[in-house]
């Protein structure tokens, strides 16, 4: 057996110690994280397309910092290649070393800015925003460091006005250094393992170990945007809603940065553009008579109804009258949890949906509009009313469509693979709290988001998990009291230290797959016992948050054998028979694992990825997709109050 040294975060720490003298301390970012929109007072420009790219292949992955690559155009530092943004870098080239690369990579984009962005009295505020980059990012503009950010899957930004407006020309050079190393204290966690047997491994050979079952794609995964605001601007808007039979209430809070002498006016418009309520001031409440409520898909004939909250700010700065306008989509709806039900607008809601991944051929986790629209068309064809963002926050563009289409979301942070005792320590906890703050700041106003999930399959049976999850869940509730909080468990019901603190029990189980493989006959007994034990212990509603089986498309077997399409169908039907009994009691949802096949690390149990999708990675249906479609439309018809009865065609496209 080869000797190996598991150094956890040692390699990462070496790099940080090396870089600390070079990285100046940066002020904390602004409180708000409003999605960039074109408005009468704001402009936005996406920096998508081809960027210059260079991986740092030096032994310590530190050449870029030692040689200060950010001080000059990246092409002048050595060979660069074209890299599309947004996209993961792993599958773009034919280089297997880049596919599995761990360490620092460098991106660069040069863009010409409009003169109107650089001049004026006062000049506009110019902001650089990165939708997400995995995992640790440092950003320079024209050689000046403007922001650094830890964590993938969430946006970060920097005010670059003074840099670009102080430049002699209109050229703006954006440089991003990105490191995909995972440590025991990142989310998700990981560790670096050095192989020290020199008879078997080259010098300084190491691998990235992870405890989650999807590929650790890296790169700039979502749009990079430049946008402007006035120098006095609307920084943040927080909205909550309540409703009764004939009245909807929209509570709002608006923060303004740049001046204390300003006025605010608000108009709430319906989808026809009619103003239905007005207000003024930074805090208030708008009253809407006979509101159109935000309803989930298949729960109402007009799902996903959105109003537009138009906020207008006026202020004086440098003798000039400034105006900032921002329009926020608003859905009026309520969420409530009882011991046996999940209520949306006072009506029982049953989650019949999927788990997904941001994953596709070539682009990896990079945002891709054709793929996004295809996925939503498949969700609606399937009759799915919900999904969980397994196992990290999805792109804002995806969340926008959930709001508009009425797809209900369990919004999950990247807390997947928390298995090691050291990942429950204070350093990990503080980062976890910060990530929840970022997630809630981004998605707090979305009607589609009905519940926060703070982790997936952690080692919640370990004693430190009690304090850890009590703290994370309490912090999440303090940040957003309007939504329930959960995490997804695969622990034994009697040993789970985090379950006492959640509002909804979410359970993953793979009976007759990872347990008693091939024995479909054990599912009714084991699944029934699972539900009854959890409910008897906690008296909280339960979601089957994962279940499923791998199937290789085109592989058939009768009688059903594992990995055949028939076995996947048979397993689903066994689970469904139990769901149908328990959803009359306290089971409030079922989410199949998975919507589509996805890539994983190479291994003897994975043949080009995880094959538990009901669709292939190319979004073609397997036999199980039709089983699930029939089921979901049947459930929708049973629970619908709509005349006439919904069909699989009446609400699709």
């Amino acid at each position: 057996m080869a000797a190996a040294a598991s150094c956890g975060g040692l390699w990462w720490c070496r790099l940080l110690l090396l870089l600390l003298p070079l990285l100046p301390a940066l002020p904390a970012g602004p409180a708000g994280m409003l999605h960039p929109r074109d408005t009468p007072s704001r402009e936005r420009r996406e920096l998508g397309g081809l960027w210059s790219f260079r991986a740092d292949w030096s032994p310590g992955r530190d050449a870029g910092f030692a040689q200060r690559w950010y001080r000059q155009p990246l092409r002048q530092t050595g060979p660069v290649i074209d890299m599309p943004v947004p996209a993961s870098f792993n599958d773009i080239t034919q280089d297997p070393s880049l596919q599995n690369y761990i360490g620092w990579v460098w991106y660069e984009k040069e863009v010409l800015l409009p003169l109107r962005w650089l001049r004026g009295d006062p000049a506009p505020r110019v902001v650089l925003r990165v939708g997400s980059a995995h995992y640790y990012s440092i950003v320079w503009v024209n050689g000046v460091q403007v922001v650094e950010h830890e964590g993938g899957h969430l946006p970060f930004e920097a005010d670059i006005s003074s840099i670009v407006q102080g430049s002699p020309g209109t050229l703006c050079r954006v440089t991003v250094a990105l490191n995909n190393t995972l440590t025991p204290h990142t989310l998700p966690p990981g560790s670096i393992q050095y192989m020290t047997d020199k008879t078997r491994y080259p010098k300084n050979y190491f691998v990235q170990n992870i405890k989650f079952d999807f590929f650790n794609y890296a790169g700039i995964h979502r749009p990079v945007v430049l946008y402007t605001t006035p120098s006095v601007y609307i920084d943040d808007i927080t909205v909550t809603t309540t409703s009764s039979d004939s009245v909807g209430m929209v509570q709002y809070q608006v923060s303004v940065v740049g001046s204390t002498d300003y006025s605010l006016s608000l108009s709430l418009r319906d989808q026809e553009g009619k103003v239905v309520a007005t207000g003024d001031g930074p805090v208030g409440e708008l009253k809407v008579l006979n509101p159109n409520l935000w309803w989930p898909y298949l729960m109402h004939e007009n799902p996903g109804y959105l109003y537009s909250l138009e906020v207008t700010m006026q202020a004086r700065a440098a003798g000039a009258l400034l105006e900032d306008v921002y329009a926020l989509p608003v859905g009026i709806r309520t969420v409530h949890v009882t011991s046996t039900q999940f209520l949306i607008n006072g009506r029982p809601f049953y989650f019949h949906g999927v788990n997904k991944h941001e994953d596709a051929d070539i682009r990896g986790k990079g945002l891709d509009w054709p793929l996004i629209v295809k996925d939503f068309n498949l969700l609606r064809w399937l009759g799915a009313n919900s999904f969980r963002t397994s196992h990290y926050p999805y792109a804002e563009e995806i969340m926008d469509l959930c709001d508009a289409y009425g797809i209900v979301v369990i919004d999950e942070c990247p807390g997947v693979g928390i298995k090691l005792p050291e990942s429950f320590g204070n350093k990990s906890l503080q980062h976890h709290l910060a990530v929840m703050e970022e997630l809630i700041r981004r998605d707090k106003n979305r009607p589609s988001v009905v519940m926060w999930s703070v982790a997936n399959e952690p080692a919640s049976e370990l004693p430190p998990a009690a304090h850890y999850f009590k703290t994370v869940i309490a912090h999440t509730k303090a940040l957003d009291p309007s939504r329930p909080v959960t995490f997804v468990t695969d622990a034994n019901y009697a040993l789970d230290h985090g379950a006492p603190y959640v509002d909804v029990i979410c359970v993953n189980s793979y009976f007759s797959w990872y347990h008693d493989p091939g024995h479909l006959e054990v599912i009714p007994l084991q699944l029934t016992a699972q539900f009854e034990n959890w409910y008897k212990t906690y008296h909280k509603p339960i979601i089957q948050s994962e279940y499923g089986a791998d199937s290789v498309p085109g592989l058939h077997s009768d009688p059903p054998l594992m990995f055949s399409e028939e076995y996947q169908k048979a397993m689903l039907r066994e689970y469904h028979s139990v769901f149908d009994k328990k959803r009359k009691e306290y089971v409030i949802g079922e989410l199949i694992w998975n919507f589509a096949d996805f890539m994983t690390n190479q291994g003897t149990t994975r043949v080009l990825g995880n094959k538990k999708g009901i669709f292939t990675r190319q979004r073609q249906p397997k036999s199980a997709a039709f089983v699930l479609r029939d089921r979901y439309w049947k459930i929708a018809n049973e629970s619908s109050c709509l005349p006439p009865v919904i069909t699989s065609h009446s609400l699709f496209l």
Side-chain angles (χ1 to χ4, degrees):
M1 183 174 180
S6 180
C7 57
L10 179 60
W11 184 65
W12 173 258
C13 291
R14 287 174 179 167
L15 282 177
L16 286 185
L17 288 173
L18 174 72
L19 300 179
L20 280 176
L22 305 175
L23 305 179
L26 294 173
M33 191 54 74
L34 296 174
H35 187 62
R37 302 182 189 278
D38 284 308
T39 77
S41 60
R42 299 178 176 219
E43 291 185 73
R44 69 191 297 273
R45 172 177 292 188
E46 285 198 15
L47 305 186
L50 296 182
W51 287 50
S52 296
F53 176 89
R54 184 178 181 188
D56 187 341
W57 293 103
S58 62
R61 303 292 198 257
D62 58 350
F65 294 96
Q67 300 169 19
R68 301 185 179 184
W69 289 355
Y70 52 87
R71 288 285 185 89
Q72 56 191 317
L74 192 61
R75 62 184 176 274
Q76 295 179 9
T77 68
V80 298
I81 62 173
D82 288 334
M83 186 61 65
V85 171
S88 302
F89 63 72
N90 308 79
D91 295 344
I92 299 298
T93 74
Q94 300 306 107
D95 185 353
S97 298
L98 188 60
Q99 185 178 49
N100 297 291
Y101 179 88
I102 302 296
W104 291 99
V105 298
W106 293 71
Y107 286 81
E108 186 181 87
K109 182 78 168 181
E110 294 180 332
V111 58
L112 293 173
L113 301 183
L115 283 175
R116 64 183 177 275
W117 286 22
L118 308 178
R119 300 173 182 172
D121 190 17
R125 172 174 167 263
V126 182
V127 182
L128 173 68
R129 179 186 177 108
V130 180
S132 82
H134 188 73
Y135 176 78
Y136 194 97
S137 304
I138 306 172
V139 183
W140 297 261
V141 172
N142 294 344
V144 178
Q145 186 179 335
V146 295
V147 68
E148 58 181 297
H149 182 260
E150 180 179 1
H153 318 294
L154 287 167
F156 56 95
E157 60 183 32
D159 184 335
I160 63 170
S161 308
S162 61
I163 298 170
V164 297
Q165 290 165 358
S167 299
T170 61
L171 184 67
C172 175
R173 178 167 53 86
V174 179
T175 307
V176 180
L178 184 62
N179 194 317
N180 62 343
T181 307
L182 301 178
T183 79
H185 307 296
T186 57
L187 280 185
S191 62
I192 294 296
Q193 185 176 19
Y194 277 91
M195 303 303 183
T196 58
D197 185 345
K198 296 180 180 179
T199 67
R200 301 185 62 186
Y201 301 101
K203 184 180 180 180
N204 295 325
Y205 188 83
F206 63 89
V207 294
Q208 170 81 77
N209 291 324
I210 55 176
K211 300 291 186 179
F212 53 85
D213 188 31
F214 56 92
F215 194 81
N216 185 34
Y217 278 113
I220 301 177
H221 285 152
R222 297 173 191 160
V224 181
V225 177
L226 287 168
Y227 72 93
T228 66
T229 73
S231 57
V232 182
Y233 60 96
I234 299 166
D235 178 58
D236 195 25
I237 305 170
T238 301
V239 167
T240 57
T241 64
T242 57
S243 66
S244 63
D245 291 340
S246 59
V247 178
M249 304 300 293
V250 178
Q251 298 85 23
Y252 66 85
Q253 182 172 342
V254 182
S255 64
V256 172
V257 170
S259 174
T260 57
D261 183 17
Y262 62 87
S263 64
L264 284 168
S265 61
L266 299 91
S267 299
L268 189 69
R269 298 179 183 271
D270 63 18
Q271 290 188 348
E272 285 69 48
K274 178 183 176 182
V275 176
V276 297
T278 60
D280 57 67
V283 179
E285 190 172 59
L286 304 179
K287 183 177 181 179
V288 184
L289 299 178
N290 300 314
N292 291 297
L293 299 183
W294 187 95
W295 287 100
Y297 177 53
L298 301 180
M299 204 171 176
H300 191 270
E301 60 187 358
N302 188 14
Y305 191 96
L306 294 174
Y307 291 87
S308 178
L309 179 63
E310 185 176 288
V311 182
T312 301
M313 180 227 67
Q314 290 187 330
R316 285 203 169 271
L321 179 64
L322 300 179
E323 184 173 85
D324 191 19
V325 180
Y326 191 87
L328 179 75
V330 172
I332 300 175
R333 63 104 180 95
T334 60
V335 172
H336 183 63
V337 176
T338 73
S339 62
T340 59
Q341 291 181 316
F342 195 99
L343 304 174
I344 296 181
N345 299 330
R347 283 177 49 189
F349 176 77
Y350 186 77
F351 294 80
H352 48 90
V354 302
N355 294 277
K356 293 181 88 276
H357 266 300
E358 289 182 315
D359 173 277
D361 290 330
I362 302 174
R363 59 195 59 74
K365 292 193 180 302
L367 182 132
D368 181 82
W369 272 114
L371 184 74
I372 290 172
V373 174
K374 179 66 173 179
D375 281 2
F376 274 94
N377 285 334
L378 289 174
L379 285 171
R380 294 189 292 176
W381 173 87
L382 196 62
N385 63 9
S386 54
F387 65 74
R388 174 169 64 115
T389 67
S390 48
H391 300 296
Y392 39 80
Y394 291 175
E396 292 166 279
E397 292 80 359
I398 293 174
M399 305 299 285
D400 284 344
L401 290 183
C402 291
D403 289 340
Y405 293 165
I407 302 297
V408 169
V409 177
I410 301 172
D411 207 352
E412 190 163 274
C413 84
V416 57
I418 306 175
K419 302 292 189 182
L420 301 175
E422 57 193 304
S423 295
F424 288 95
N426 190 60
K427 183 175 181 180
S428 297
L429 176 59
Q430 294 307 311
H431 179 50
H432 203 146
L433 298 178
V435 169
M436 292 310 302
E437 290 174 9
E438 290 187 24
L439 174 58
I440 291 171
R441 182 174 63 180
R442 192 194 77 165
D443 288 346
K444 61 186 175 182
N445 295 321
R446 297 190 176 279
S448 60
V449 175
V450 300
M451 187 157 53
W452 306 110
S453 172
V454 301
N456 176 76
E457 295 186 358
S460 50
E461 70 281 0
L462 296 178
H467 171 73
Y468 189 94
F469 284 110
K470 180 180 180 181
T471 304
V472 172
I473 291 171
H475 186 67
T476 302
K477 286 178 173 291
L479 292 168
D480 178 19
S482 71
R483 290 178 176 88
V485 180
T486 189
F487 75 89
V488 176
T489 182
D490 64 347
N492 183 286
Y493 74 96
L495 303 176
D496 195 309
H497 293 294
Y501 307 107
V502 302
D503 298 301
V504 174
I505 302 291
C506 288
V507 182
N508 293 350
S509 59
Y510 290 89
F511 304 124
S512 85
W513 190 258
Y514 296 124
H515 312 284
D516 300 296
H519 292 280
L520 295 167
E521 66 275 8
V522 306
I523 293 175
L525 177 64
Q526 295 184 4
L527 185 58
T528 299
Q530 168 198 276
F531 288 139
E532 292 178 352
N533 287 331
W534 278 101
Y535 191 75
K536 181 173 63 176
T537 304
Y538 295 104
H539 296 284
K540 297 174 181 178
I542 301 172
I543 296 175
Q544 182 73 41
S545 41
E546 287 183 26
Y547 71 103
D550 287 77
S551 67
V552 177
L555 182 62
H556 297 286
S557 174
D558 186 23
L561 296 178
M562 292 178 69
F563 293 97
S564 69
E565 293 195 40
E566 286 73 21
Y567 191 90
Q568 188 181 38
K569 290 195 303 179
M571 174 183 277
L572 265 57
R573 289 188 172 118
E574 292 290 345
Y575 267 81
H576 295 165
S577 66
V578 180
F579 294 163
D580 284 338
K581 296 174 184 177
K582 294 302 179 182
R583 67 186 173 99
K584 299 173 184 176
E585 302 176 35
Y586 46 76
V587 171
I588 60 168
E590 55 191 78
L591 304 177
I592 188 70
W593 188 267
N594 192 281
F595 173 75
D597 294 345
F598 57 91
M599 189 52 63
T600 64
N601 278 353
Q602 296 184 69
T604 54
T605 61
R606 295 285 177 252
V607 183
L608 291 179
N610 190 306
K611 294 292 192 294
K612 290 189 181 67
I614 58 169
F615 297 99
T616 67
R617 202 181 189 208
Q618 295 73 36
R619 276 48 179 185
Q620 296 304 312
K622 302 178 190 176
S623 301
F626 298 95
V627 171
L628 213 61
R629 182 175 191 253
D630 289 344
R631 174 171 178 78
Y632 284 178
W633 282 103
K634 180 181 177 182
I635 292 173
N637 282 323
E638 290 173 356
S639 61
S640 174
C641 299
L642 296 178
V645 176
I646 301 171
T647 70
S648 61
H649 304 290
S650 60
L651 288 181
F652 178 63
L653 300 182

